[in-house]
Amino acid sequence: MKKDAEVISSSVVRWYPLVAESGSGCIVKDVDGNEFIDFNSGLVVLAVGHSHPRVVKAIKEQAEKLVHYSWTDFYYKPIIDFGERLSEITPGAHSKKVFFSNSGAEANEAAMKAARWHTRNPLFLAYTGAFHGRTFATMSLTASKPVQRRHFFPLIPEVTHVPYPYCYRCPFRLEYPECNMWCVNFIEEEVLKKFHTPEDTAAMFVEPIQGEGGYVVPPEDYFQRLKKILDKYSILMVDDEIQSGMGRSGKWFAIEHWGVVPDIITSSKALASGLPIGVTISKSEIMDWEAGSHANTFGGNPVACSAGLQVIDIIKEEKLLENATRQGTYMMKRLKEMQQKYAILGDVRGKGLMIGVEFVKNLETKEPAPDEVIDVMNKCFKRGLAIITAGKSTMRFAPPLIITKELVDAGLDVFESAVKEVSAELK
Ligand SMILES: Cc1ncc(COP(=O)(O)O)c(C=O)c1O
């Protein structure tokens, strides 16, 4: 760690001293041989677990054949196969086009550029609390924590942020469902009709479940109503599934919980089980940009695409969407039971294996408890559970989709012991 501090940029966050050396399934092992149940999935990447044998085999076989041959200049088969398979599993029966890149931020950059090119409109809408990346364009959409923007201005100016449907902390201080979802009507009445002219707007970026912002789940009919408004004004919906996609929520893509078909979908993290890749998938007619208008060197690397093809097959054959739903439902049940016992657990929410538990100092005032959640996180680490937080004071539960009930129980036992201790210290 000392050497790391000498060599590595100080801009990255280190949650606790986990020095990973190897991983297998849902377990990550450190350099001292300590084993941790991995509720992080290496930051929501290892959906099929660490070093799944089929993924490792595919990587080896592809690496022996062809490691790279610049997809934007020449042809090779794995991008077509992977693009086709991704088009099949993303919502909507319409014809689709696929653009590959290397990361989530790049996938969103491509979506921004495609939306501007197609519509010829400059403006974007995004949410408060959103996280879409850290490049200059995507940082302009990101509105999660001040540290992500501080001292980096100017950003791209044409982004308006509207409140995310965060019912536990409604920005309008209203109650669902009596509110009749004013937050969605607000976008039309107070933004589009007053200053953010729809005829100049290219797209709205949405996270179907806000990830970095605190694992926030919008109400049941929210996205259906939002899509109607966007369609009314011919504004594209870009669905950022970089964290929530590839089965995390129990569906291939989380927006499916709302039955909405977005115009553009972006994904990354879990796509190739740890190899860098990002993807932007749109209705065919949207990606009508001219040759040379957007490209990169490494996107859609053949080794990553081969790994990705395995990820899709594994999720299907090992029935991981079903497992995510089953284990997630069980996890939510246990966490809700804990919520009854410990007053620092203010809210339990999630879908599939994308679950957030928001810590509060007081159940009435809902004052966030950022120190307490960090205390619990550190205690978990000392006891063999790797888990981190999101938003101001939310613990995020995102284990690999292959997790078993035994490991869910083992992890939750560690979590509960830490919550119990921190709760007792508060008294
Ligand atoms: C929803 C979402 N969008 C975009 C990104 C950015 O992805 P990357 O870090 O690969 O650039 C992330 C990363 O956490 C994310 O969660």
Side-chain angles (χ1 to χ4, degrees), residues 73-242:
D73 298 283
F74 303 99
Y75 300 90
Y76 50 79
K77 198 159 172 286
I79 44 162
I80 305 166
D81 293 342
F82 195 34
E84 211 166 37
R85 296 294 300 283
L86 286 168
S87 296
E88 279 164 22
I89 60 168
T90 41
H94 51 265
S95 101
K96 295 167 192 165
K97 288 257 174 157
V98 178
F99 181 90
F100 283 111
S101 47
N102 306 283
S103 68
E106 269 187 79
N108 283 335
E109 285 266 350
M112 292 178 88
K113 286 179 70 176
R116 270 195 176 170
W117 207 96
H118 177 70
T119 62
R120 294 291 195 274
N121 291 339
L123 308 186
F124 293 99
L125 287 163
Y127 285 111
T128 53
F131 190 88
H132 296 292
R134 296 170 181 274
T135 58
F136 266 99
T138 60
M139 180 173 41
S140 313
L141 303 171
T142 290
S144 175
K145 292 182 181 141
V147 68
Q148 294 152 352
R149 294 176 147 227
R150 190 179 293 134
H151 310 313
F152 292 127
F153 295 95
L155 308 179
I156 71 160
E158 292 89 358
V159 181
T160 294
H161 289 87
V162 298
Y164 196 75
Y166 187 174
C167 294
Y168 184 65
R169 295 186 186 281
C170 175
F172 299 104
R173 303 291 179 265
L174 297 171
E175 286 282 332
Y176 177 82
E178 293 76 38
C179 61
N180 193 24
M181 274 199 277
W182 165 239
C183 54
V184 78
N185 291 342
F186 173 89
I187 296 169
E188 182 172 24
E189 298 303 323
E190 299 296 320
V191 179
L192 295 175
K193 285 189 183 170
K194 288 194 175 163
F195 66 97
H196 191 96
T197 42
E199 41 287 292
D200 296 313
T201 305
M204 175 159 187
F205 274 71
V206 310
E207 285 170 272
I209 298 174
Q210 206 167 59
E212 185 65 24
Y215 276 37
V216 183
V217 186
E220 256 174 37
D221 41 350
Y222 178 82
F223 286 113
Q224 296 88 319
R225 282 181 52 182
L226 176 69
K227 184 74 170 95
K228 260 193 204 145
I229 294 175
L230 297 180
D231 284 347
K232 182 169 154 190
Y233 294 101
S234 301
I235 297 169
L236 301 176
M237 178 190 268
V238 181
D239 172 28
D240 178 339
E241 300 263 6
I242 283 152

Side-chain angles (χ1 to χ4, degrees), residues 272-325:
S273 201
L275 294 195
I277 190 163
V279 72
T280 310
I281 304 173
S282 81
K283 290 181 173 159
S284 289
E285 67 269 21
I286 293 171
M287 268 194 207
D288 55 353
W289 41 11
E290 61 196 328
S293 58
H294 195 54
N296 55 40
T297 302
F298 288 118
N301 170 276
V303 182
C305 286
S306 300
L309 284 163
Q310 287 301 316
V311 170
I312 294 179
D313 284 345
I314 294 165
I315 292 176
K316 280 193 173 161
E317 289 165 30
E318 296 188 8
K319 299 198 173 356
L320 298 185
L321 301 183
E322 293 84 342
N323 195 55
T325 306

